[in-house]
Amino acid sequence: MKIENNEFLKILTKYQGILHKVSLIYFRNKSDREDILQEIIYQLWKSFPNLKNKDSIGSWIYSVSINTSLSRIKKKSLVEYRDTVPEISDGLSDLNKAVKDDISEHLLNAIHNLDDINKSVILLYLEEKSYDEIAAILGVSKSNVGVRINRAKKILKENLKYLNYGK
Amino acid sequence: MENNELIKLWKTVDISKEQKTEKELMLLLKFKARSILYKHSAILIASALISLVIITLLILASFKRFDDSLFIINNIVLGIITLISLIFGISSWYRLQKSATDKPVKIWLKEKIALLKNSEKSLASKLPFIFIPFIYFLTVLSIHVYFENIQFADIFKDEESVFGLLVGATVGLFVSFYIFKKIKKQLSENLAFLEKLYGRL
């Protein structure tokens, strides 16, 4: 198989941070993250010829990464939505290697305890995306974005409090 | 905790260790594309081979028992069903694989739900409950007639044959419906999960 799309690889290299961040919030285990990274790259490559608006490459990458991650998550792990009271996770040794210190580890733990939709909402908020961009990525109205962000932030802060971080 | 503090905290998450070079990314893509190509080919080749073997056996058996017209009709019906199942199975599998992810999350979820609902509807219809026993019965008849070396029309005259057929049919049907129920349950669970996600958007 010949893959000679230089433009695609250049874009992928430039925007790969998005892929890593999405996989980091959805998958705790390093090998799962490696798997999903490959899957996202493949899905991006497949849909690259259909990409019409080159000005919204970031949004395109976010959508593909989030959709691919959601379709990969197994139903068993999905049904346990924790809206308010999180569980302190164990077995995070793989993840620990990927984070710089205890503070970011706390934040990642708190994000992992959000439900799968709020994970995306909070990621886009933390990445300082505009309401317009978030609306385009998630496919919801702009007015809805504000409500969702506030709700997700509230839960995230509660999660952080529970994990003894933040006031 | 202030909102800005959350953003500042997020910036401390280090993903630099996970960064890949252009060459590494290309290798990952090549590896994935190749494995998917192999998987697609393997499924296609395996389905085609199995169907080919079944059809060849049906033809060979029909030639050996050329004098038994009922047996030949039974084998022709089975051959046609095998071909239709092969075409239908491959096309539905490809349709599921084609589902594009380059859409806003809510639209993608809606499309995926519609796709699964369609599959669930066809599984929930009465068709499989008629179709599965029908194919199964024809297959058992064909095998039995061939190996017992009797005429198709004589099959119901022999008590032993009828008993064997009844036992075989009951066990086979039980297994088929068990598998069918498992698939249906998995489909329903996937659908419920996607609907839950959709409801949260």
Side-chain angles (χ1 to χ4, degrees):
Chain A
M1 176 173 294
K2 220 172 179 183
I3 296 162
E4 31 183 18
N5 200 328
N6 280 336
E7 193 193 356
F8 172 73
L9 281 170
K10 287 214 166 12
I11 289 172
L12 188 63
T13 312
K14 188 178 167 193
Y15 288 89
Q16 63 171 301
I18 297 175
L19 278 62
H20 296 305
K21 282 172 184 164
V22 171
S23 64
L24 196 62
I25 61 156
Y26 277 108
F27 300 92
R28 294 167 190 256
N29 187 286
K30 191 169 180 179
S31 69
D32 287 342
R33 288 203 298 276
E34 289 283 335
D35 281 352
I36 199 66
L37 185 71
Q38 271 191 23
E39 183 67 38
I40 296 171
I41 293 171
Y42 176 72
Q43 293 294 337
L44 286 169
W45 177 65
K46 228 171 71 171
S47 63
F48 185 65
N50 304 328
L51 178 68
K52 285 168 194 133
N53 187 2
K54 305 260 170 173
D55 295 329
S56 58
I57 287 173
S59 300
W60 167 66
I61 295 179
Y62 270 113
S63 292
V64 173
S65 306
I66 294 169
N67 291 340
T68 309
S69 301
L70 288 177
S71 67
R72 174 61 72 93
I73 295 168
K74 298 283 172 231
K75 54 190 176 298
K76 274 184 188 166
S77 59
L78 292 161
V79 280
E80 293 175 48
Y81 292 121
R82 296 175 206 106
D83 278 350
T84 47
V85 185
E87 288 167 13
I88 299 172
S89 56
D90 49 14
L92 284 172
S93 55
D94 281 338
L95 187 63
N96 291 346
K97 287 172 195 154
V99 295
K100 214 170 189 174
D101 52 38
D102 283 350
I103 303 166
S104 49
E105 192 188 317
H106 266 97
L107 179 63
L108 272 172
N109 269 335
I111 293 174
H112 280 146
N113 282 304
L114 292 173
D115 75 54
D116 296 302
I117 294 297
N118 275 337
K119 278 177 189 163
S120 291
V121 172
I122 214 70
L123 171 71
L124 295 168
Y125 162 75
L126 294 172
E127 286 289 300
E128 298 180 89
K129 296 285 149 202
S130 70
Y131 277 25
D132 280 326
E133 279 176 289
I134 298 176
I137 293 163
L138 297 179
V140 295
S141 67
K142 206 175 147 185
S143 55
N144 205 344
V145 170
V147 179
R148 302 209 159 264
I149 288 178
N150 284 332
R151 207 178 291 162
K153 265 194 305 195
K154 200 178 155 210
I155 302 167
L156 183 67
K157 283 176 187 174
E158 278 173 23
N159 287 358
L160 279 166
K161 251 190 233 168
Y162 187 84
L163 294 164
N164 295 323
Y165 187 85
K167 291 162 228 162
Chain B
M1 183 188 286
E2 293 299 320
N3 290 337
N4 282 346
E5 208 180 326
L6 276 177
I7 294 171
K8 270 189 214 161
L9 257 178
W10 177 246
K11 284 179 178 158
T12 63
V13 175
D14 182 17
I15 52 154
S16 60
K17 278 179 191 167
E18 313 227 349
Q19 295 286 105
K20 312 254 187 251
T21 63
E22 198 175 306
K23 205 177 164 189
E24 284 171 328
L25 288 169
M26 192 181 76
L27 280 175
L28 282 178
L29 173 59
K30 272 189 176 176
F31 181 77
K32 185 71 190 178
R34 210 170 280 156
S35 72
I36 285 183
L37 185 77
Y38 288 156
K39 195 175 139 195
H40 283 208
S41 314
I43 288 171
L44 196 74
I45 291 167
S47 322
L49 270 179
I50 291 168
S51 305
L52 195 75
V53 168
I54 292 172
I55 292 168
T56 311
L57 287 175
L58 287 170
I59 293 171
L60 285 176
S62 303
F63 269 116
K64 276 195 168 180
R65 305 289 299 275
F66 211 67
D67 55 326
D68 192 345
S69 49
L70 278 176
F71 180 70
I72 292 170
I73 293 169
N74 186 59
N75 284 4
I76 289 172
V77 173
L78 274 176
I80 292 169
I81 290 172
T82 309
L83 261 182
I84 293 171
S85 309
L86 174 72
I87 296 164
F88 182 77
I90 289 175
S91 67
S92 343
W93 190 77
Y94 269 105
R95 223 173 23 243
L96 273 173
Q97 299 301 311
K98 247 177 94 180
S99 152
T101 48
D102 57 339
K103 289 166 186 165
V105 180
K106 198 170 183 178
I107 297 171
W108 173 78
L109 280 171
K110 199 177 171 183
E111 287 181 3
K112 199 102 179 155
I113 288 168
L115 203 71
L116 285 183
K117 268 192 176 162
N118 254 344
S119 311
E120 201 186 38
K121 219 196 255 171
S122 60
L123 278 185
S125 71
K126 289 190 180 76
L127 196 69
F129 288 93
I130 303 163
F131 203 59
I132 295 173
F134 179 68
I135 301 173
Y136 184 75
F137 195 65
L138 291 188
T139 313
V140 171
L141 278 180
S142 185
I143 295 168
H144 188 77
V145 168
Y146 184 77
F147 285 105
E148 289 295 315
N149 206 17
I150 49 172
Q151 286 288 307
F152 197 89
D154 294 339
I155 199 164
F156 297 106
K157 289 176 190 163
D158 180 23
E159 250 179 59
E160 213 174 295
S161 294
V162 173
F163 180 74
L165 274 174
L166 280 175
V167 172
T170 314
V171 174
L173 280 179
F174 180 76
V175 173
S176 325
F177 279 113
Y178 179 76
I179 295 167
F180 174 75
K181 222 178 152 188
K182 279 259 169 205
I183 295 171
K184 209 177 155 203
K185 194 182 165 206
Q186 200 182 4
L187 193 71
S188 302
E189 279 172 358
N190 283 343
L191 189 61
F193 158 62
L194 289 177
E195 279 177 330
K196 204 166 187 175
L197 283 184
Y198 185 77
R200 284 176 175 254
L201 265 170

